[in-house]
Amino acid sequence: MTKEFLQRHKENVFEKGFTVIHSVFSDEEIEKIIEVIQNVDTSKENFRKSDDLFAVRQFLKEVPDVKDLVFNDAVKTIVRELFGEQYIAVKSIYFDKPETSNWYVAYHQDLTISVDEKLEMQGFGPWTTKKNQFAVQPPLPILENICTIRIHLDDTDEHNGALKVVPGSHAKGIYRPETIDWNTETEEICNVEKGGIMIMKPLTLHGSNRTTGGRRRRVIHIEFSDMELPQQLKWSEKLN
């Protein structure tokens, strides 16, 4: 990955709110990641399993053996060059949409961060609490600072839940999906090959359709930031 190549993707993220980089992981690396996930104990409370979705919250904490595989040299370089030297992982989730999934996600922005406790603070709210996990909508500058990497363990297109996004929507602050004017906005489907990644700003409006092609979609979603939270509030996951 040359400086010019990475600079082009950095510009995409800045201007459009997302970019796709192919072949960040080899097939062998992906198979190793899948093997670690398959061997994990799924009975813990951070694991959610239904006919439509298997998900793991605090993924890097719950499956620590996967960390060295996920943060290969290419990912480290991408984080450093596209985000910044001080960016660290602050949230991680694993999704598995099975072949028969009817899981549909309407257009939305990712407006919450995961923190270690609930504190009444100006500019932070509303709060949600699930099984001793605390999520809160922070002030806009914190959301604008975050960058997300989505690692694709399967080929993903419009038939198995690839993200659809509204380019440029990340630059418009809090953008309610019901106010989208499709006369001026466009929609783009982000196809990502197995072993590729999608990089996205959380404020980019995004959603996904139901699976229609009989193929599963497995994704590791990791959010990065270089900001310290105010007062004694801390990110619930924090991994250098």
Side-chain angles (χ1 to χ4, degrees):
M1 284 183 284
T2 64
K3 285 266 189 194
E4 293 76 17
F5 172 83
L6 291 171
Q7 184 59 33
R8 197 166 69 246
H9 284 289
K10 188 173 183 174
E11 287 165 8
N12 278 349
V13 175
F14 181 76
E15 290 165 15
K16 296 167 66 178
F18 65 95
T19 197
V20 173
I21 305 179
H22 297 294
S23 306
V24 175
F25 294 85
S26 67
D27 283 350
E28 187 184 13
E29 286 175 309
I30 292 295
E31 292 314 316
K32 279 184 183 166
I33 290 170
I34 290 169
E35 189 182 338
V36 169
I37 294 168
Q38 282 172 342
N39 289 329
V40 81
D41 172 15
T42 60
S43 64
K44 301 174 188 172
E45 61 179 19
N46 277 342
F47 290 69
R48 170 184 174 182
K49 203 162 183 116
S50 70
D51 291 343
D52 280 329
L53 183 72
F54 171 54
V56 184
R57 294 185 177 280
Q58 300 206 2
F59 174 65
L60 295 172
K61 264 188 186 177
E62 294 287 3
V63 191
D65 291 350
V66 89
K67 272 191 293 204
D68 287 344
L69 300 171
V70 164
F71 294 113
N72 67 5
D73 288 342
V75 168
K76 287 179 186 168
T77 301
I78 288 163
V79 170
R80 194 170 59 243
E81 296 293 331
L82 267 68
F83 307 165
E85 291 281 354
Q86 304 304 317
Y87 268 73
I88 58 170
V90 294
K91 184 176 182 177
S92 60
I93 310 170
Y94 169 73
F95 299 101
D96 178 356
K97 254 186 166 178
E99 297 87 335
T100 54
S101 175
N102 272 322
W103 191 264
Y104 161 84
V105 181
Y107 265 112
H108 66 287
Q109 296 172 303
D110 292 340
L111 294 177
T112 63
I113 58 172
S114 296
V115 294
D116 63 338
E117 62 180 320
K118 184 175 180 180
L119 294 172
E120 292 307 325
M121 295 171 61
Q122 193 173 0
F124 284 77
W127 288 80
T128 55
T129 306
K130 282 185 201 159
K131 295 180 179 170
N132 242 8
Q133 295 194 20
F134 306 97
V136 64
Q137 184 170 326
L140 197 59
I142 293 174
L143 291 173
E144 289 172 336
N145 168 265
I146 294 170
C147 297
T148 301
I149 288 182
R150 295 167 61 90
I151 300 165
H152 284 250
L153 308 185
D154 302 287
D155 289 331
T156 309
D157 59 26
E158 68 270 27
H159 302 300
N160 67 331
L163 281 195
K164 48 186 186 178
V165 297
V166 179
S169 52
H170 69 297
K172 300 180 181 180
I174 305 298
Y175 192 155
R176 299 295 171 201
E178 63 273 14
T179 67
I180 298 173
D181 179 358
W182 290 112
N183 293 314
T184 57
E185 301 287 18
T186 56
E187 175 178 279
E188 199 167 316
I189 305 286
C190 295
N191 296 345
V192 187
E193 294 167 5
K194 173 183 172 181
I197 67 171
M198 179 182 176
I199 298 171
M200 186 177 76
K201 299 297 285 181
L203 292 174
T204 305
L205 277 164
H206 59 286
S208 65
N209 294 331
R210 293 180 175 85
T211 298
T212 57
R215 287 180 295 121
R216 76 195 294 190
R217 179 190 68 149
R218 291 167 290 184
V219 174
I220 298 168
H221 169 116
I222 308 173
E223 296 176 16
F224 296 82
S225 175
D226 65 352
M227 286 181 110
E228 288 292 335
L229 298 175
Q231 295 179 35
Q232 62 266 52
L233 199 62
K234 292 184 172 58
W235 304 99
S236 63
E237 294 177 81
K238 196 171 174 184
L239 297 158
N240 293 327

